[in-house]
Amino acid sequence: MRILTSRKAFFYAVTLCLTTSYINAQDRNITVSQDPKFEQLLNEKRKTNISNTVNDLYKVQIFSGESEKAKNILTEFKQEFSDIDGTILFNTPNYKVWIGNFKTRIEAERNLIEIRKKYNNVHLIKPNK
């Protein structure tokens, strides 16, 4: 390996300093022109998002009965379907296992087909507001 002489090293250092002083960032403004219908579409989407609440979601009931069995079924379900949420709800005198937060009925029915293969007594429900 060749060692640079002090004269060459100084020359490279000065050249490097001078060239870096001329580097500039981009100083341009960008203007985006978009169709006004696009803004209307965004406003409509915002309105629908505001009107959607948690209670507008569909759920699937996989069990209704006693507390201990509901806990066991929910644990078993979470092991098999780890990507779907589940919860236990108490309505006197039964404990109900509800799973999923499906935005559309079609999405809920697709999952219902898979869940029905494992659980016999399943129902598609839409909780009241």
Side-chain angles (χ1 to χ4, degrees):
M1 186 159 122
R2 214 168 94 186
I3 300 174
L4 294 177
T5 62
S6 60
R7 187 181 242 177
K8 284 185 180 179
F10 178 74
F11 174 73
Y12 288 135
V14 169
T15 305
L16 181 66
C17 290
L18 290 175
T19 57
T20 57
S21 66
Y22 291 110
I23 296 175
N24 293 325
Q26 297 175 355
D27 293 330
R28 296 194 179 204
N29 292 331
I30 297 175
T31 56
V32 177
S33 60
Q34 67 183 18
D35 190 7
K37 290 182 181 179
F38 181 73
E39 191 64 35
Q40 290 173 344
L41 182 64
L42 281 176
N43 288 333
E44 290 298 319
K45 178 66 176 161
R46 288 181 189 126
K47 287 177 189 176
T48 58
N49 284 346
I50 290 171
S51 67
N52 287 342
T53 62
V54 174
N55 292 331
D56 287 341
L57 302 175
Y58 290 89
K59 297 183 181 292
V60 175
Q61 178 177 315
I62 61 172
F63 176 77
S64 179
E66 54 190 51
S67 173
E68 288 303 314
K69 193 166 182 184
K71 290 177 188 175
N72 291 339
I73 287 180
L74 181 61
T75 304
E76 179 184 312
F77 178 82
K78 285 184 177 182
Q79 289 174 354
E80 195 165 332
F81 298 93
S82 60
D83 58 331
I84 302 176
D85 267 346
T87 186
I88 296 176
L89 180 74
F90 178 68
N91 282 343
T92 307
N94 293 324
Y95 290 85
K96 297 180 180 183
V97 179
W98 286 0
I99 53 104
N101 288 317
F102 306 110
K103 292 181 181 180
T104 63
R105 185 177 180 95
I106 293 171
E107 181 185 0
E109 287 176 352
R110 284 183 190 145
N111 285 292
L112 181 69
I113 292 168
E114 289 298 316
I115 295 167
R116 194 169 268 153
K117 292 176 184 175
K118 176 72 177 163
Y119 299 95
N120 297 331
N121 193 15
V122 295
H123 304 286
L124 180 64
I125 57 172
K126 185 173 182 180
N128 295 333
K129 291 182 180 181

PDB file of all heavy atoms in Angstrom, residues 112-124:
ATOM      1  N   LEU A 112     -67.018 -16.915   8.686  1.00  0.00           N
ATOM      2  CA  LEU A 112     -67.995 -17.817   9.284  1.00  0.00           C
ATOM      3  C   LEU A 112     -67.882 -19.213   8.678  1.00  0.00           C
ATOM      4  O   LEU A 112     -67.995 -20.221   9.387  1.00  0.00           O
ATOM      5  CB  LEU A 112     -69.409 -17.258   9.077  1.00  0.00           C
ATOM      6  CG  LEU A 112     -70.559 -18.062   9.653  1.00  0.00           C
ATOM      7  CD1 LEU A 112     -70.525 -18.001  11.168  1.00  0.00           C
ATOM      8  CD2 LEU A 112     -71.885 -17.531   9.147  1.00  0.00           C
ATOM      9  N   ILE A 113     -67.624 -19.289   7.388  1.00  0.00           N
ATOM     10  CA  ILE A 113     -67.467 -20.585   6.714  1.00  0.00           C
ATOM     11  C   ILE A 113     -66.302 -21.369   7.313  1.00  0.00           C
ATOM     12  O   ILE A 113     -66.411 -22.567   7.590  1.00  0.00           O
ATOM     13  CB  ILE A 113     -67.284 -20.374   5.195  1.00  0.00           C
ATOM     14  CG1 ILE A 113     -68.578 -19.833   4.587  1.00  0.00           C
ATOM     15  CG2 ILE A 113     -66.851 -21.663   4.511  1.00  0.00           C
ATOM     16  CD1 ILE A 113     -68.428 -19.332   3.165  1.00  0.00           C
ATOM     17  N   GLU A 114     -65.178 -20.678   7.544  1.00  0.00           N
ATOM     18  CA  GLU A 114     -64.012 -21.341   8.135  1.00  0.00           C
ATOM     19  C   GLU A 114     -64.272 -21.741   9.586  1.00  0.00           C
ATOM     20  O   GLU A 114     -63.876 -22.815  10.022  1.00  0.00           O
ATOM     21  CB  GLU A 114     -62.788 -20.427   8.066  1.00  0.00           C
ATOM     22  CG  GLU A 114     -62.236 -20.244   6.672  1.00  0.00           C
ATOM     23  CD  GLU A 114     -61.748 -21.538   6.072  1.00  0.00           C
ATOM     24  OE1 GLU A 114     -61.062 -22.314   6.773  1.00  0.00           O
ATOM     25  OE2 GLU A 114     -62.068 -21.795   4.903  1.00  0.00           O
ATOM     26  N   ILE A 115     -64.932 -20.878  10.332  1.00  0.00           N
ATOM     27  CA  ILE A 115     -65.177 -21.141  11.747  1.00  0.00           C
ATOM     28  C   ILE A 115     -66.185 -22.275  11.907  1.00  0.00           C
ATOM     29  O   ILE A 115     -66.083 -23.091  12.820  1.00  0.00           O
ATOM     30  CB  ILE A 115     -65.655 -19.850  12.443  1.00  0.00           C
ATOM     31  CG1 ILE A 115     -64.526 -18.815  12.427  1.00  0.00           C
ATOM     32  CG2 ILE A 115     -66.106 -20.127  13.860  1.00  0.00           C
ATOM     33  CD1 ILE A 115     -64.949 -17.424  12.781  1.00  0.00           C
ATOM     34  N   ARG A 116     -67.147 -22.346  11.007  1.00  0.00           N
ATOM     35  CA  ARG A 116     -68.189 -23.376  11.081  1.00  0.00           C
ATOM     36  C   ARG A 116     -67.596 -24.786  10.917  1.00  0.00           C
ATOM     37  O   ARG A 116     -68.180 -25.756  11.404  1.00  0.00           O
ATOM     38  CB  ARG A 116     -69.251 -23.122  10.020  1.00  0.00           C
ATOM     39  CG  ARG A 116     -70.508 -23.915  10.244  1.00  0.00           C
ATOM     40  CD  ARG A 116     -71.637 -23.465   9.361  1.00  0.00           C
ATOM     41  NE  ARG A 116     -72.398 -22.449  10.081  1.00  0.00           N
ATOM     42  CZ  ARG A 116     -73.093 -21.498   9.500  1.00  0.00           C
ATOM     43  NH1 ARG A 116     -73.138 -21.410   8.193  1.00  0.00           N
ATOM     44  NH2 ARG A 116     -73.759 -20.624  10.217  1.00  0.00           N
ATOM     45  N   LYS A 117     -66.445 -24.894  10.279  1.00  0.00           N
ATOM     46  CA  LYS A 117     -65.792 -26.198  10.142  1.00  0.00           C
ATOM     47  C   LYS A 117     -65.367 -26.755  11.496  1.00  0.00           C
ATOM     48  O   LYS A 117     -65.324 -27.960  11.703  1.00  0.00           O
ATOM     49  CB  LYS A 117     -64.570 -26.089   9.223  1.00  0.00           C
ATOM     50  CG  LYS A 117     -64.925 -25.805   7.781  1.00  0.00           C
ATOM     51  CD  LYS A 117     -63.675 -25.616   6.946  1.00  0.00           C
ATOM     52  CE  LYS A 117     -64.031 -25.238   5.517  1.00  0.00           C
ATOM     53  NZ  LYS A 117     -62.828 -24.936   4.716  1.00  0.00           N
ATOM     54  N   LYS A 118     -65.036 -25.865  12.431  1.00  0.00           N
ATOM     55  CA  LYS A 118     -64.549 -26.289  13.746  1.00  0.00           C
ATOM     56  C   LYS A 118     -65.659 -26.255  14.810  1.00  0.00           C
ATOM     57  O   LYS A 118     -65.706 -27.104  15.678  1.00  0.00           O
ATOM     58  CB  LYS A 118     -63.390 -25.363  14.139  1.00  0.00           C
ATOM     59  CG  LYS A 118     -62.845 -25.603  15.503  1.00  0.00           C
ATOM     60  CD  LYS A 118     -62.065 -26.872  15.600  1.00  0.00           C
ATOM     61  CE  LYS A 118     -61.479 -26.994  17.001  1.00  0.00           C
ATOM     62  NZ  LYS A 118     -61.059 -28.312  17.325  1.00  0.00           N
ATOM     63  N   TYR A 119     -66.545 -25.258  14.732  1.00  0.00           N
ATOM     64  CA  TYR A 119     -67.591 -25.078  15.748  1.00  0.00           C
ATOM     65  C   TYR A 119     -68.956 -25.256  15.095  1.00  0.00           C
ATOM     66  O   TYR A 119     -69.216 -24.712  14.026  1.00  0.00           O
ATOM     67  CB  TYR A 119     -67.482 -23.688  16.384  1.00  0.00           C
ATOM     68  CG  TYR A 119     -66.164 -23.483  17.073  1.00  0.00           C
ATOM     69  CD1 TYR A 119     -65.100 -22.871  16.418  1.00  0.00           C
ATOM     70  CD2 TYR A 119     -65.964 -23.909  18.371  1.00  0.00           C
ATOM     71  CE1 TYR A 119     -63.882 -22.697  17.032  1.00  0.00           C
ATOM     72  CE2 TYR A 119     -64.750 -23.744  19.001  1.00  0.00           C
ATOM     73  CZ  TYR A 119     -63.715 -23.134  18.328  1.00  0.00           C
ATOM     74  OH  TYR A 119     -62.508 -22.974  18.948  1.00  0.00           O
ATOM     75  N   ASN A 120     -69.836 -26.004  15.760  1.00  0.00           N
ATOM     76  CA  ASN A 120     -71.127 -26.341  15.170  1.00  0.00           C
ATOM     77  C   ASN A 120     -72.150 -25.225  15.259  1.00  0.00           C
ATOM     78  O   ASN A 120     -72.783 -24.863  14.279  1.00  0.00           O
ATOM     79  CB  ASN A 120     -71.703 -27.600  15.849  1.00  0.00           C
ATOM     80  CG  ASN A 120     -70.817 -28.801  15.604  1.00  0.00           C
ATOM     81  OD1 ASN A 120     -70.149 -28.868  14.589  1.00  0.00           O
ATOM     82  ND2 ASN A 120     -70.796 -29.722  16.549  1.00  0.00           N
ATOM     83  N   ASN A 121     -72.342 -24.683  16.420  1.00  0.00           N
ATOM     84  CA  ASN A 121     -73.433 -23.744  16.678  1.00  0.00           C
ATOM     85  C   ASN A 121     -72.928 -22.294  16.579  1.00  0.00           C
ATOM     86  O   ASN A 121     -72.690 -21.637  17.584  1.00  0.00           O
ATOM     87  CB  ASN A 121     -74.022 -24.027  18.059  1.00  0.00           C
ATOM     88  CG  ASN A 121     -75.330 -23.322  18.278  1.00  0.00           C
ATOM     89  OD1 ASN A 121     -75.948 -22.840  17.327  1.00  0.00           O
ATOM     90  ND2 ASN A 121     -75.758 -23.253  19.521  1.00  0.00           N
ATOM     91  N   VAL A 122     -72.739 -21.815  15.366  1.00  0.00           N
ATOM     92  CA  VAL A 122     -72.233 -20.444  15.179  1.00  0.00           C
ATOM     93  C   VAL A 122     -73.301 -19.598  14.529  1.00  0.00           C
ATOM     94  O   VAL A 122     -74.097 -20.066  13.721  1.00  0.00           O
ATOM     95  CB  VAL A 122     -70.935 -20.427  14.336  1.00  0.00           C
ATOM     96  CG1 VAL A 122     -69.822 -21.125  15.057  1.00  0.00           C
ATOM     97  CG2 VAL A 122     -71.152 -21.023  12.969  1.00  0.00           C
ATOM     98  N   HIS A 123     -73.307 -18.308  14.905  1.00  0.00           N
ATOM     99  CA  HIS A 123     -74.299 -17.364  14.380  1.00  0.00           C
ATOM    100  C   HIS A 123     -73.608 -16.056  14.002  1.00  0.00           C
ATOM    101  O   HIS A 123     -72.755 -15.579  14.741  1.00  0.00           O
ATOM    102  CB  HIS A 123     -75.376 -17.045  15.426  1.00  0.00           C
ATOM    103  CG  HIS A 123     -76.067 -18.252  15.956  1.00  0.00           C
ATOM    104  ND1 HIS A 123     -76.984 -18.955  15.234  1.00  0.00           N
ATOM    105  CD2 HIS A 123     -75.969 -18.875  17.152  1.00  0.00           C
ATOM    106  CE1 HIS A 123     -77.430 -19.958  15.969  1.00  0.00           C
ATOM    107  NE2 HIS A 123     -76.823 -19.947  17.134  1.00  0.00           N
ATOM    108  N   LEU A 124     -74.038 -15.492  12.909  1.00  0.00           N
ATOM    109  CA  LEU A 124     -73.574 -14.169  12.511  1.00  0.00           C
ATOM    110  C   LEU A 124     -74.472 -13.149  13.178  1.00  0.00           C
ATOM    111  O   LEU A 124     -75.699 -13.233  13.076  1.00  0.00           O
ATOM    112  CB  LEU A 124     -73.628 -14.024  10.992  1.00  0.00           C
ATOM    113  CG  LEU A 124     -73.169 -12.691  10.425  1.00  0.00           C
ATOM    114  CD1 LEU A 124     -71.705 -12.458  10.724  1.00  0.00           C
ATOM    115  CD2 LEU A 124     -73.408 -12.651   8.930  1.00  0.00           C
TER     116      LEU A 124
END
